[in-house]
Amino acid sequence: MSTTFLYGANVHANNIRQHYLRYHHATSETSQRAAVVIVPGITSPAVTWGFVGEVFGRQFDTYVLDVRGRGLSAASDELDYSLDAQADDLAGFVAALGLERFAFVGHSMGARIAARAARRAPRSPTSVVLVDPPVSGPGRRAYPGQLPWYINSMALARQGTDAEGMREFCPTWTKEELQLRAEWLHTCDERAVIASYEGFHSDDFHADAARLEVPSLLITAERGDVVRDEDVVELQRLNQAMAHVRVPDAGHMIPWDNAEGFYEAFGTLLGAKLFDEQPIA
């Protein structure tokens, strides 16, 4: 099957360098649809979502973003790693690229960024997809992932390790997935990860989700305890227009565990179905 990968690039947006990967099989039909901007999670550089970008690129002009402090985007001692700064990055990104119509798809931390950015972007997205977002926050239960898991795995990656070294932290992943994580995890700035993790417990995600004024979809994992049934009920009570799909046989890293179920969960919200096994012409 031909690739939909076009190129990797950098753009100066919101006063920092933002790196992204672009995927698109351009046809008259796909070019008329809203672009899709994918925002990965707390320790996921854009390249680790490349296999997802490949699939999205069959139907949409797709951009997978390196969040500040991850991958090849800017990182420094002075950089603000708050949720507001990350959301303004996303708003600045779509403005800098001149995207007229776009949807946000955010996973985990990326979902929280997408929800906040939806009301800060110069133009509203056509839709927002929140994939297994941490529902922790002020007065709520803690995020189930533990900070030492991130810190220790990043330290190992900075020293230099291989797939087997990463297996202790991600025992269910394939060798290829572990190799990619071992190669790229060192690019995640520990300061950025700590700030985002602390933000999981201090930022009010529910308030952002409630304010979404565009079609929205909550995609959650059957396993992992990040989003429970009662959390879904609360989010849909706060935002009655929010649809929900629970993906079976999947933990928090949903497309790693059940890629077909992940793609099917989108339905036609973005303007076309994602799951399509037909090869690219």
Side-chain angles (χ1 to χ4, degrees):
M1 181 179 293
S2 299
T3 182
T4 64
F5 177 69
L6 295 180
Y7 55 79
N10 297 281
V11 63
H12 187 77
N14 194 32
N15 298 313
I16 68 165
R17 182 190 71 256
Q18 297 191 46
H19 176 260
Y20 64 95
L21 304 176
R22 188 180 183 189
Y23 300 82
H24 189 203
H25 175 55
T27 67
S28 58
E29 189 173 23
T30 63
S31 298
Q32 291 176 3
R33 297 171 184 149
V36 174
V37 183
I38 297 176
V39 190
I42 189 168
T43 55
S44 294
V47 67
T48 64
W49 277 72
F51 72 103
V52 176
E54 286 279 6
V55 175
F56 272 77
R58 300 176 197 169
Q59 303 293 347
F60 308 99
D61 189 7
T62 302
Y63 302 80
V64 186
L65 187 63
D66 269 331
V67 178
R68 61 169 59 198
R70 285 88 174 170
L72 301 181
S73 286
S76 76
D77 292 341
E78 295 77 29
L79 207 58
D80 179 1
Y81 289 120
S82 68
L83 179 60
D84 281 342
Q86 294 169 329
D88 288 345
D89 284 349
L90 184 52
F93 178 79
V94 297
L97 266 60
L99 300 180
E100 296 289 334
R101 299 175 61 247
F102 53 89
F104 292 152
V105 175
H107 172 254
S108 193
M109 175 193 74
R112 293 170 71 109
I113 295 171
R116 183 154 295 188
R119 56 189 177 88
R120 299 170 77 95
R123 291 185 177 86
S124 295
T126 56
S127 57
V128 176
V129 181
L130 309 172
V131 182
D132 224 38
V135 293
S136 46
R140 297 181 178 275
R141 75 176 188 278
Y143 179 61
Q146 299 299 305
L147 184 59
W149 184 90
Y150 298 104
I151 300 299
N152 295 339
S153 60
M154 287 188 295
L156 181 61
R158 286 195 301 273
Q159 293 173 8
T161 190
D162 57 12
E164 287 308 307
M166 284 290 106
R167 192 174 300 281
E168 173 188 353
F169 299 94
C170 308
T172 64
W173 289 24
T174 67
K175 183 176 181 180
E176 291 74 16
E177 292 163 352
L178 292 169
Q179 286 176 325
L180 198 59
R181 187 164 180 82
E183 179 185 2
W184 282 90
L185 184 59
H186 76 93
T187 68
C188 295
D189 189 325
E190 184 175 296
R191 295 160 297 195
V193 172
I194 292 173
S196 293
Y197 187 88
E198 291 175 346
F200 286 173
H201 302 91
S202 60
D203 296 312
D204 191 348
F205 166 71
H206 290 74
D208 291 331
R211 295 190 184 102
L212 290 174
E213 297 179 350
V214 298
S216 59
L217 170 64
L218 176 66
I219 298 177
T220 62
E222 184 179 57
R223 305 190 305 269
D225 202 37
V226 174
V227 186
R228 299 173 181 172
D229 290 342
E230 57 266 32
D231 300 319
V232 175
V233 170
E234 181 180 6
L235 286 167
Q236 291 188 309
R237 177 179 59 79
L238 292 170
N239 187 335
Q240 297 182 14
M242 181 180 291
H244 171 246
V245 177
R246 180 80 78 183
V247 179
D249 302 318
H252 183 55
M253 304 299 285
I254 299 175
W256 277 253
D257 294 336
N258 184 354
E260 181 176 346
F262 174 68
Y263 300 131
E264 289 182 340
F266 285 81
T268 58
L269 177 74
L270 300 175
K273 287 186 177 182
L274 278 165
F275 191 69
D276 181 1
E277 297 189 57
Q278 295 303 311
I280 297 169

